Amino acid sequence: MDERAKARLCFFAYILMLIIFDTAYSFMILNMFLAFAALELAFLLPLFKAKSKREIPVSAAFYIVFILLSPNVLYVITDLIHLKIFEFNFKKGLIVEEWWNFFVLISGVVLAIYYYILMLKQIHSLILHIKWSKTILLAFIILCSIGVYIGRFLRFHSIHLFTEPFSLVSQVLSSINGDSLLFIGWMSMLQFIMWWLFSDSRRNSL
């Protein structure tokens, strides 16, 4: 089974589990859908590579949409903060409900990490022969980190860049401080770690 088929199978199995079984993390349906949508767009990136000047507008539009959606993959990892709704007091014994929800949330996060690695592989293979490939990948990683910050703390979604662009930019600029830069830096470092650990260094050397 190739990576694309495996990613799709895992997505539909996970969503089906969320729909059928009771869980405190039903919001993961939307979050995983957005992450999966970004991955599917990543698989289509080679098809939208401009081969002539006429194709540049369509290619650019597709790449912009992909970049706007891509932070949704990393965003799922930050959903780990929702583990706090359970006590996880092991001294009280095994509480099945808590650990069922632990399984549900961690499964989604593991799947999101897998999606993220696949997405980076697609990007890297697309820009591998470009002179500034390292700079492009670094810029993408930082943009993803900024996107996660905007989504998690400012509560904006990708669509707001089109519906509320001035409000979004204004709030982002006013919120930039030492703490926000630290968060963006940590998220960027996390992405580098995942890429370094899980990518095939023989084929994807940076």
Side-chain angles (χ1 to χ4, degrees):
M1 183 181 295
D2 62 24
E3 292 179 328
R4 191 170 187 176
K6 189 186 299 184
R8 287 174 172 173
L9 177 62
C10 290
F11 169 74
F12 288 112
Y14 185 73
I15 295 300
L16 191 62
M17 179 181 69
L18 291 177
I19 293 173
I20 294 176
F21 299 104
D22 182 43
T23 173
Y25 300 124
S26 57
F27 61 84
M28 290 290 286
I29 295 176
L30 175 60
N31 289 356
M32 288 305 302
F33 173 79
L34 293 174
F36 180 72
L39 177 64
E40 284 290 342
L41 291 183
F43 282 123
L44 295 176
L45 287 175
L47 298 179
F48 284 85
K49 188 175 181 179
K51 299 179 180 64
S52 65
K53 290 184 178 180
R54 291 186 306 171
E55 296 178 353
I56 290 178
V58 175
S59 178
F62 181 84
Y63 287 172
I64 289 172
V65 171
F66 166 70
I67 290 171
L68 291 177
L69 280 177
S70 57
N72 288 305
V73 182
L74 190 66
Y75 181 89
V76 174
I77 299 174
T78 67
D79 282 323
L80 282 172
I81 64 173
H82 295 292
L83 284 173
K84 66 183 179 182
I85 68 176
F86 295 102
E87 188 178 2
F88 292 108
N89 187 348
F90 62 90
K91 293 182 180 180
K92 292 183 178 180
L94 174 59
I95 301 175
V96 174
E97 180 188 2
E98 289 185 339
W99 290 97
W100 158 248
N101 282 282
F102 177 88
F103 166 77
V104 169
L105 188 57
I106 296 300
S107 296
V109 170
V110 170
L111 188 55
I113 292 174
Y114 178 60
Y115 284 178
Y116 182 78
I117 297 304
L118 292 183
M119 187 170 70
L120 277 189
K121 283 183 177 181
Q122 288 298 118
I123 296 170
H124 189 255
S125 65
L126 187 69
I127 65 174
L128 184 60
H129 302 294
I130 298 177
K131 182 180 179 181
W132 302 101
S133 60
K134 294 180 181 179
T135 304
I136 294 172
L137 193 63
L138 174 62
F140 175 81
I141 286 174
I142 293 174
L143 285 174
C144 274
S145 300
I146 295 172
V148 173
Y149 170 75
I150 292 172
R152 176 54 70 191
F153 297 102
L154 304 184
R155 309 309 296 168
F156 280 105
H157 296 284
S158 302
I159 192 64
H160 289 138
L161 191 59
F162 299 100
T163 60
E164 304 176 38
F166 297 110
S167 176
L168 189 154
V169 172
S170 175
Q171 290 194 44
V172 169
L173 292 177
S174 63
S175 70
I176 295 298
N177 53 37
D179 290 344
S180 60
L181 291 176
L182 272 176
F183 176 85
I184 292 170
W186 290 335
M187 289 296 104
S188 299
M189 182 63 67
L190 180 61
Q191 293 174 77
F192 278 116
I193 291 172
M194 289 191 296
W195 174 247
W196 181 70
L197 287 176
F198 298 111
S199 65
D200 186 341
S201 59
R202 292 169 297 178
R203 293 184 301 168
N204 300 293
S205 60
L206 294 177

